Amino acid sequence: MALSVYRVSELIDIVGEERASALLDTFCCSRNSDIKQFVRNKAIDFEKQGIAISYIVIDELEDSAVIAGFYSLALKVARIEMTCLSNSVKKRLLKFGQSFFESGDCFLPSVLIAQFGKSDIYSGLMRGSDLMDLAVSSVREIQTLVGGRFLFLECQDSPKLLAFYQKQGFATFGVRRSNADLEVSTDSTLVQLYRFVRPV
């Protein structure tokens, strides 16, 4: 495999919007229909509107290009309830965030992974940890420009998904109900996780 990472806007600059859109339409992720719909129908518009920046991981073959994976990033302030955290974790978070003592919450500037997934045809060829490494590399570039030390995401309440993200260094801090927002298109419970991203 010869994997390359392109921002959606960068890909449009190279091949034009029509060809970029046609390539995005080939992305299929049967494990998560929300990300498939996002890649095919929203990624270009969200990038144009500045809502989220999307990155395509492409396997550049001799005569074609195939999407191996996809992730989308956005700026976010994560609201973390401090009451259920240990004192050492509270101390660490408060070094990088702002506390509101009335509510007992910490507001933490973060980069949100809004979408994250591998293409079906690369499910056995590329590890999820490899895709996460690429996403974290992009996050470090963003943090160099705007600051922040944390990465934030929300996922479905699935033991397999949670185990994967925890293995990638994420810790759970809350849950929320979602209804047709940036992350998912259906009403569901989302588990909220964060991870410290060490600067290079």
Side-chain angles (χ1 to χ4, degrees):
M1 287 189 296
L3 298 179
S4 301
V5 180
Y6 295 92
R7 281 182 51 174
V8 165
S9 57
E10 183 182 9
L11 187 66
I12 290 172
D13 288 341
I14 295 169
V15 302
E17 186 168 337
E18 186 175 339
R19 288 182 64 189
S21 181
L23 179 61
L24 293 174
D25 280 343
T26 67
F27 180 82
C28 190
C29 182
S30 58
R31 296 175 303 283
N32 187 335
S33 61
D34 287 313
I35 187 173
K36 182 177 94 171
Q37 293 305 316
F38 180 88
V39 172
R40 294 183 175 193
N41 302 318
K42 296 181 180 178
I44 291 175
D45 287 340
F46 272 43
E47 182 138 349
K48 286 180 178 179
Q49 295 165 11
I51 298 172
I53 302 301
S54 295
Y55 298 79
I56 309 166
V57 181
I58 294 178
D59 190 0
E60 301 188 69
L61 307 173
E62 282 187 24
D63 55 354
S64 64
V66 181
I67 299 178
F70 180 94
Y71 56 93
S72 186
L73 305 176
L75 294 176
K76 177 88 171 181
V77 176
R79 180 176 182 171
I80 300 178
E81 293 184 19
M82 305 290 277
T83 53
C84 58
L85 301 177
S86 69
N87 287 334
S88 61
V89 172
K90 289 179 186 178
K91 186 176 179 181
R92 186 177 197 189
L93 293 181
L94 288 174
K95 284 172 60 177
F96 301 101
Q98 185 174 9
S99 175
F100 287 81
F101 294 102
E102 313 83 54
S103 64
D105 296 341
C106 177
F107 289 77
L108 200 64
S110 307
V111 175
L112 168 71
I113 296 184
Q115 299 287 345
F116 180 87
K118 294 184 294 180
S119 172
D120 284 344
I121 60 175
Y122 279 79
S123 60
L125 299 174
M126 181 175 66
R127 297 177 301 176
S129 58
D130 295 331
L131 185 60
M132 182 59 72
D133 288 344
L134 293 172
V136 170
S137 179
S138 297
V139 169
R140 286 194 173 105
E141 291 178 17
I142 292 168
Q143 290 176 337
T144 299
L145 296 173
V146 302
R149 287 290 181 269
F150 285 86
L151 182 54
F152 166 72
L153 63 83
E154 297 176 324
C155 73
Q156 295 173 345
D157 191 3
S158 156
K160 188 174 180 180
L161 268 179
L162 292 173
F164 167 75
Y165 286 124
Q166 288 164 356
K167 192 173 180 182
Q168 301 306 308
F170 286 86
T172 302
F173 70 88
V175 296
R176 77 171 180 88
R177 297 290 292 175
S178 170
N179 186 12
D181 61 8
L182 175 65
E183 291 79 25
V184 297
S185 62
T186 55
D187 188 41
S188 63
T189 298
L190 296 174
V191 179
Q192 300 172 307
L193 304 101
Y194 71 92
R195 169 184 165 176
F196 180 77
V197 177
R198 193 173 303 281
V200 176

